[in-house]
Amino acid sequence: SQTIHQWPATLVQPVGSPLSLECTVEGTSNPNLYWYRQAAGRGLQLLFYSVGIGQISSEVPQNLSASRPQDRQFILSSKKLLLSDSGFYLCAWSWEGLYYEQYFGPGTRLTVT
Amino acid sequence: DQQVKQNSPSLSVQEGRISILNCDYTNSMFDYFLWYKKYPAEGPTFLISISSIKDKNEDGRFTVFLNKSAKHLSLHIVPSQPGDSAVYFCAASGNNAGNMLTFGGGTRLMVKP
């Protein structure tokens, strides 16, 4: 069976500090990987997606970046956090070639102070 | 431009009754429609989906109806249970790498015992 892990579960960071959130998937090969953000009281916004190692597509301009150094590892980063980066960050995966049925990780609650 | 909208931010239903959650979309190119259930501080869980070639899909207590002419879908939960209390997101997508999942803003369902 497939499992998706995200860490850390919660994070409190000061403005201007760097960020690194990690996501890994087990039990599948060459998954599509996604980063979403849910701001307080709002829906899910797609930030990045990746269909393969080193292939990253960005959906919205921001001071965040994503990388996929290994097949089942997806990292969300920032060099300098802004207050507006606070939110609930979700990693998701879908089967290779299938984009609509996505499975989500447990999420990371990020608070920028 | 919100392509997927859930106009009811919340819904309260008595246990045992039917819950009907609604969703409207604007993009006629969407091929797949999905419902996700989300508890606080957790990632969304895939619930049920429907292809644009169908108008109904049923899975146990959950049924999704699609009205393509009205660009409207709904999720019916019968009978509703207190454990169904959560935020429900509808989402829509085309099935290719350029068409990612687009989520609605969510509806909070509260099922009262």
Side-chain angles (χ1 to χ4, degrees), chain A residues 2 27-32 34 93-99 101 103:
Chain A
Q2 297 74 40
T28 183
S29 296
N30 202 30
N32 302 310
Y34 312 85
W93 72 274
S94 66
W95 295 102
E96 180 183 10
L98 193 65
Y99 301 97
E101 194 167 310
Y103 300 92

Side-chain angles (χ1 to χ4, degrees), chain A residues 81-101:
Chain A
L81 283 169
L82 305 172
L83 285 174
S84 57
D85 291 324
S86 293
F88 193 53
Y89 288 82
L90 289 153
C91 182
W93 72 274
S94 66
W95 295 102
E96 180 183 10
L98 193 65
Y99 301 97
Y100 61 90
E101 194 167 310

Side-chain angles (χ1 to χ4, degrees), chain B residues 23 48 55 63 90-91 107:
Chain B
C23 180
I48 192 169
D55 54 20
T63 303
C90 70
T107 296

Side-chain angles (χ1 to χ4, degrees), chain A residues 49-108:
Chain A
Y49 69 91
S50 171
V51 298
I53 296 175
Q55 301 178 61
I56 309 294
S57 296
S58 174
E59 289 293 294
V60 293
Q62 59 216 313
N63 72 322
L64 299 170
S65 62
S67 61
R68 185 171 177 172
Q70 299 180 42
D71 180 41
R72 289 168 287 177
Q73 183 186 30
F74 207 22
I75 297 172
L76 183 69
S77 304
S78 173
K79 292 182 179 177
K80 287 186 178 181
L81 283 169
L82 305 172
L83 285 174
S84 57
D85 291 324
S86 293
F88 193 53
Y89 288 82
L90 289 153
C91 182
W93 72 274
S94 66
W95 295 102
E96 180 183 10
L98 193 65
Y99 301 97
Y100 61 90
E101 194 167 310
Q102 298 178 14
Y103 300 92
F104 287 81
T108 296

Side-chain angles (χ1 to χ4, degrees), chain B:
Chain B
D1 174 30
Q2 270 193 290
Q3 297 188 66
V4 180
K5 284 185 182 180
Q6 293 176 257
N7 291 317
S8 298
S10 64
L11 174 68
S12 184
V13 171
Q14 204 66 35
E15 181 179 6
R17 298 287 187 100
I18 183 171
S19 294
I20 300 176
L21 296 103
N22 294 304
C23 180
D24 297 296
Y25 62 95
T26 58
N27 189 341
S28 58
M29 300 302 291
F30 286 142
D31 288 334
Y32 298 95
F33 303 88
L34 306 92
W35 285 94
Y36 284 83
K37 176 180 179 179
K38 185 181 182 298
Y39 294 115
E42 293 184 11
T45 302
F46 169 73
L47 202 54
I48 192 169
S49 65
I50 187 167
S51 163
S52 61
I53 63 173
K54 295 185 175 182
D55 54 20
K56 178 183 175 181
N57 188 25
E58 193 171 352
D59 184 1
R61 296 186 298 115
F62 303 91
T63 303
V64 55
F65 295 92
L66 176 63
N67 182 335
K68 283 186 294 182
S69 61
K71 293 191 176 67
H72 178 84
L73 69 153
S74 61
L75 175 68
H76 292 210
I77 307 174
V78 184
S80 302
Q81 299 172 355
D84 295 328
S85 298
V87 176
Y88 289 79
F89 291 97
C90 70
S93 174
N95 192 34
N96 63 68
N99 292 327
M100 290 295 113
L101 272 182
T102 301
F103 283 85
T107 296
R108 182 176 301 280
L109 173 66
M110 292 163 284
V111 180
K112 299 178 183 177

